[in-house]
Amino acid sequence: MTKIFKDNLKEVETFLASYKKDTLPHFINGSKVYSESGATFENSSPIDNQVIGKIAAGDSTDIDTACEAANQAFGEWKTISGKIKKRLLHKIADGIEKRAHEIALIESYDSGQAIRYMSKAAMRSAANFRFFADMAPTAADGKSLLAEEHMNYSMRQPIGPVGIITPWNTPFMLATWKIAPALAAGCTVVHKPAEWSPYTAMILAEIIHDAGLPDGVLNVVHGLGETAGKALTEDERIKAIAFVGESSTGSQIMKQGADTLKRVHFELGGKNPVIVFDDADLERALDAVVLMIFSLNGERCTSSSRLLIQESIKEEFLEKVQQRISKLKVGHPLDPETEIGPLIHKKHLDKVLGYFECATKEGARIVKGGKISNKSSIGNYVEPTLFIDVDNSMKIAQEEIFGPVLSAISFVDESHALRIANDVNYGLAAYLWTNDVGRSVRLSQQLEAGMIWINSENNRHLPAPFGGMKASGIGRDGGDYSFDFYMETKNICTAFGTHAIPKLGK
Ligand code: NAD
């Protein structure tokens, strides 16, 4: 065991001490509070499936209190100038940077994601706040549209209190990706974090409180999706729901929000193709293919879970993928050497294992992995897996497995690759590896995906639109796209006083 690993273990114990002793509360109107009902639920670590601690289990009563706090706070927060918001949001980023190590360790322990990624995710969270802090002063900006005898100008105003519901795969980073633009836009927030990874949401609440934001601007209510989450989506004071999670939950939320005509923004599942042509830089393609399915335990919406490989290079390329998989380091997530940690929950492990069984029944061949890992005596470890001889109609090619599992499908030519790539319900991301510029342009226009990376892994630029088509989502995040969601656009049309008004009843 290296010294850094040992230190990580020691430090995380210190950080978790209070969570192990006391129930993790909600954060409502600037205070830590327990559920009105006194109800709690347990949260365990995927490392050993031992209970870390108890979490307050919110229900409609707690959501009601949080929504009222957000509603009251909206009156003040929306009027605070962009300049002040910018300063406050930068202070939040400072606070995140100061506690980044703690956030990364807790997140890693709670979610099973390897520390090497969670350290970066914590810093990216600070970057999210800095980015939207700088945009706050111009959030209300609109357009001026000159018409005949009329002047139109548009402006944006915050939509009101919003609900933010997040998943467990990179909980802290995803929460900041939603909360930062909402606050910069002038919205107040009720956040419902995922029940399998609740801890870091409280750290964010503390940081935001310490930065000096008024009480009620950010509220956090823990609880199950079907109770706390549902109540949030149904509350009429909440004007919009930003949701990241499974496609089926998205459709549930849309139904729940229908009566109150909720505006929704959905970032949902994916079954993303990485298409590798024989003219590509195959060494770089190999790096990207392996990274985009085996990083973050494959529990990543933009993971390239379908490898579409051209027939002519199939044998050679798949051989190299296998060699890489053999060397992947599966282990304790707090070990800096670890590349793949345990899956979030026993239930999720069972789901992933279920696909191994069904793949073989459907006729795919497992050439690497395909089993629970020998490290799994107490934790949720699974072997990184490669399926070959996969047909795109198989379940493993159509459904989001959300684990370190790659399905390889071969194609003959460009049109064949395109047909396979688009033949899924999802449409989040697609990765294309070719040195033929014309082909890259042709394909990127026809691929049904919200984000396409050519000769690259998922490389994020915060002003660029992030989101999916088809069952992968509704709406886009990033830069100004985020403000379009969290704000209403208002048009103001002023006459010059010169135009003729039709005279009725004269
Ligand atoms: P999930 O849909 O099960 O849960 C997400 C959140 O929704 C949790 O907080 C949960 O409590 C809540 N929820 C569940 N039912 C609800 C209901 N009826 N009403 C309101 N809230 C409810 O998703 P998960 O298993 O936590 O996360 C994994 C999924 O997230 C994967 O499908 C993944 O692709 C997706 N994801 C997408 C993106 C993206 O940007 N597109 C990013 C990360 C994760």
Side-chain angles (χ1 to χ4, degrees):
M1 192 185 278
T2 61
K3 178 165 180 324
I4 304 181
F5 182 18
K6 264 194 221 155
D7 289 349
N8 284 348
L9 284 172
K10 220 168 22 186
E11 276 181 285
V12 84
E13 280 303 321
T14 324
F15 290 135
L16 287 171
S18 68
Y19 300 138
K20 289 190 168 174
K21 207 160 45 81
D22 308 317
T23 297
L24 183 78
H26 310 298
F27 189 82
I28 301 176
N29 209 15
S31 301
K32 293 182 180 179
V33 292
Y34 295 105
S35 296
E36 274 287 315
S37 67
T40 59
F41 65 95
E42 287 182 336
N43 178 49
S44 54
S45 168
I47 298 167
D48 53 10
N49 288 310
Q50 292 299 304
V51 172
I52 303 175
K54 285 188 178 157
I55 320 295
D59 60 18
S60 54
T61 309
D62 310 295
I63 287 287
D64 179 60
T65 316
C67 292
E68 188 49 33
N71 201 29
Q72 291 298 328
F74 180 60
E76 182 190 352
W77 184 244
K78 72 175 175 192
T79 60
I80 288 179
S81 77
K83 230 163 122 183
I84 295 176
K85 287 199 186 89
K86 175 177 171 175
R87 188 163 47 72
L88 289 170
L89 266 59
H90 272 294
K91 262 180 107 175
I92 298 172
D94 295 342
I96 295 174
E97 281 168 7
K98 262 190 216 129
R99 294 182 70 178
H101 184 53
E102 174 191 356
I103 293 164
L105 288 177
I106 294 179
E107 190 106 306
S108 194
Y109 195 88
D110 195 15
S111 71
Q113 297 283 16
I115 189 70
R116 63 170 64 211
Y117 301 118
M118 291 304 96
S119 301
K120 286 196 185 123
M123 293 314 284
R124 160 72 195 280
S125 306
N128 288 341
F129 267 96
R130 292 215 188 283
F131 176 75
F132 285 108
D134 289 339
M135 289 187 71
T138 54
D141 283 2
K143 285 183 177 165
S144 104
L145 303 156
L146 190 59
E148 216 173 288
E149 298 177 286
H150 287 84
M151 175 68 199
N152 289 273
Y153 73 91
S154 69
M155 60 186 291
R156 286 188 300 207
Q157 293 176 328
I159 190 168
V162 298
I164 291 178
I165 302 177
T166 48
W168 44 258
N169 58 331
T170 40
F172 191 83
M173 197 289 285
L174 283 171
T176 62
W177 181 232
K178 299 285 174 187
I179 292 171
L183 298 182
C187 298
T188 52
V189 173
V190 178
H191 176 207
K192 210 299 280 171
E195 49 270 47
W196 284 352
S197 58
Y199 290 112
T200 51
M202 180 51 80
I203 301 182
L204 184 60
E206 287 168 2
I207 291 171
I208 288 180
H209 185 66
D210 292 348
L213 272 78
D215 291 349
V217 171
L218 172 75
N219 307 276
V220 180
V221 179
H222 295 285
L224 306 187
E226 309 79 65
T227 47
K230 181 169 183 286
L232 181 58
T233 60
E234 289 172 344
D235 193 288
E236 61 180 8
R237 288 159 292 192
I238 295 296
K239 301 301 173 208
I241 293 285
F243 168 74
V244 187
E246 281 189 19
S247 304
S248 57
T249 315
S251 96
Q252 196 63 36
I253 288 176
M254 195 174 247
K255 287 180 202 136
Q256 293 164 189
D259 284 347
T260 50
L261 290 175
K262 218 57 106 214
R263 181 185 286 186
V264 292
H265 185 169
F266 289 162
E267 286 183 17
L268 310 173
K271 193 72 191 178
N272 313 298
V274 50
I275 311 172
V276 183
F277 284 91
D278 59 8
D279 63 6
D281 180 334
L282 295 178
E283 274 312 305
R284 287 173 70 79
L286 178 66
D287 290 342
V289 165
V290 173
L291 176 76
M292 283 313 300
I293 184 64
F294 298 113
S295 56
L296 293 171
N297 300 345
E299 296 165 321
R300 180 175 198 163
C301 57
T302 51
S303 74
S304 55
S305 49
R306 287 185 301 152
L307 166 60
L308 274 47
I309 181 80
Q310 195 156 21
E311 276 285 349
S312 47
I313 49 164
K314 183 175 99 175
E315 298 300 327
E316 181 196 339
F317 195 82
L318 290 180
E319 179 55 40
K320 287 187 177 160
V321 174
Q322 285 187 58
Q323 286 167 12
R324 288 288 188 90
I325 295 177
S326 307
K327 292 186 188 153
L328 285 171
K329 294 186 187 74
V330 179
H332 195 294
L334 293 182
D335 182 347
E337 297 287 308
T338 292
E339 290 168 322
I340 300 184
L343 300 183
I344 180 81
H345 197 276
K346 179 80 176 60
K347 278 190 190 155
H348 187 55
L349 172 72
D350 290 343
K351 177 185 156 186
V352 173
L353 295 177
Y355 280 104
F356 295 160
E357 219 180 288
C358 114
T360 342
K361 274 194 198 136
E362 283 185 311
R365 223 155 31 97
I366 297 173
V367 286
K368 270 283 159 217
K371 295 195 297 294
I372 193 161
S373 160
N374 58 12
K375 296 200 165 36
S376 67
S377 55
I378 49 170
N380 307 324
Y381 295 90
V382 71
E383 288 185 349
T385 297
L386 174 65
F387 295 127
I388 63 165
D389 298 342
V390 177
D391 185 273
N392 200 53
S393 62
M394 294 176 183
K395 270 185 167 189
I396 50 164
Q398 291 289 321
E399 296 179 10
E400 186 184 44
I401 300 175
F402 224 52
V405 182
L406 180 62
S407 299
I409 306 166
S410 60
F411 67 87
V412 181
D413 56 18
E414 192 176 311
S415 63
H416 190 201
L418 181 68
R419 217 167 44 242
I420 301 172
N422 286 345
D423 183 21
V424 280
N425 284 334
Y426 294 107
L428 187 59
Y431 304 86
L432 188 55
W433 285 87
T434 176
N435 276 329
D436 180 334
V437 177
R439 170 189 279 156
S440 73
V441 175
R442 281 191 301 276
L443 280 179
S444 29
Q445 303 210 349
Q446 295 176 82
L447 280 166
E448 294 166 356
M451 295 170 289
I452 292 163
W453 278 278
I454 297 165
N455 297 334
S456 178
E457 77 285 19
N458 167 346
N459 203 299
R460 292 285 298 119
H461 179 51
L462 301 189
F466 185 99
M469 297 179 178
K470 295 157 80 177
S472 288
I474 296 176
R476 297 293 179 269
D477 269 324
D480 215 45
Y481 298 94
S482 299
F483 288 155
D484 273 341
F485 176 69
Y486 293 109
M487 301 180 90
E488 292 282 17
T489 297
K490 186 186 272 183
N491 188 62
I492 295 143
C493 178
T494 311
F496 296 171
T498 52
H499 71 289
I501 302 174
K503 299 176 193 297
L504 299 184
K506 205 175 171 218

